[in-house]
Amino acid sequence: MTIHRAYGHVDRAALREGAPLRVVMASEGRQADGIDLRMSGAQLDRFRGNPVLGYGHSYWGRGNLPIGRVMPETIAVDGTLLAGELDFDQGDEFARETERKMRNGYLNAVSIGFEVVEWESENDNYWRGGVATKWELTELSVVPVPMDAKALVTAGRDLAPDDVERLVEAFRAALSRPPVVLPSGPTITPAEPAPNSPPPPAAGVSEDAARTFFAAFDSEESHA
């Protein structure tokens, strides 16, 4: 049996303290290993029966025990994605630390192990890649470095209460400062743009940065 790896990512939009940590375990499309896993051919029963969550695909020996599990009822294909929710072993210090790093954005990737049952073409194989029309999921691990270019955080994560307080205090401090009075001088009139010239480019704003900014004003206290 040949076990292969493919990488997924954390669904950052689903992160809230105490809420399940949802991850995209795999997606369709040719990945760095050259294999395109078709979600219509995913065989999940074996993994649902033993949905262990490891770290770095290390399962051998007493020091590499699972750090949690993927909740069986959440393991499902959604269109071109395979997703699930992670449940970390709270009695394991390393598992708790791994969860903390994932919730705070220091770890973002997971990786599945799988066995191909059927290839689309006789020329397809593990070494040259190809389309896997039927494949069996065998395991899932948290990994620090993803191979898949799409294995990234997807959307904004909640700010911690201390972060919100620091941001609000910074705004209050800025508003309390006296206005700056510039010395008088000649008035400078900006030059008129040339006829039919394109408008100047707008300043770029990161979508994630904007989402994080507004999250600061959407704390749980505001909904109480």
Side-chain angles (χ1 to χ4, degrees):
M1 179 177 68
T2 303
I3 301 299
H4 229 59
R5 317 294 187 198
Y7 290 79
H9 61 269
V10 179
D11 182 358
R12 189 70 61 198
L15 292 188
R16 290 184 181 278
E17 185 177 357
L21 187 63
R22 186 169 181 80
V23 297
V24 174
M25 299 164 65
S27 62
E28 283 191 5
R30 193 176 296 273
Q31 306 300 336
D33 57 10
I35 298 177
D36 179 357
L37 296 176
R38 296 299 168 87
M39 293 300 137
S40 59
Q43 299 178 358
L44 306 174
D45 289 345
R46 173 181 174 181
F47 184 70
R48 286 195 180 106
N50 184 41
V52 294
L53 175 68
Y55 187 88
H57 299 295
S58 297
Y59 291 95
W60 315 112
R62 296 176 61 183
N64 294 318
L65 293 173
I67 61 174
R69 62 174 181 154
V70 186
M71 299 170 68
E73 66 276 11
T74 69
I75 303 169
V77 171
D78 181 9
T80 60
L81 303 176
L82 171 64
E85 294 178 355
L86 308 184
D87 177 24
F88 290 86
D89 180 1
Q90 297 304 306
D92 183 328
E93 182 179 357
F94 180 72
R96 294 196 306 271
E97 180 69 1
T98 301
E99 179 181 14
R100 183 191 68 79
K101 287 182 180 294
M102 294 188 79
R103 288 188 180 277
N104 287 282
Y106 298 106
L107 281 172
N108 300 302
V110 293
S111 172
I112 65 169
F114 62 94
E115 179 183 4
V116 176
V117 178
E118 182 177 292
W119 295 98
E120 183 178 60
S121 168
E122 62 181 13
N123 295 321
D124 295 341
N125 60 41
Y126 286 112
W127 317 120
R128 289 196 297 266
V131 178
T133 55
K134 289 184 182 180
W135 54 280
E136 185 173 44
L137 178 63
T138 58
E139 51 100 0
L140 181 73
S141 285
V142 176
V143 293
V145 181
M147 292 170 56
D148 188 342
K150 297 179 181 178
L152 303 172
V153 174
T154 56
R157 75 189 134 89
D158 291 345
L159 293 178
D162 289 346
D163 294 330
V164 176
E165 291 177 6
R166 284 195 293 269
L167 183 58
V168 172
E169 286 303 318
F171 272 104
R172 287 175 178 166
L175 292 174
S176 65
R177 295 186 189 125
V180 177
V181 179
L182 298 176
S184 59
T187 301
I188 301 176
T189 304
E192 291 292 331
N196 302 321
S197 62
V205 178
S206 164
E207 181 179 347
D208 281 344
R211 188 180 291 106
T212 301
F213 174 83
F214 287 111
F217 301 96
D218 191 26
S219 64
E220 291 183 0
E221 293 180 358
S222 67
H223 297 291

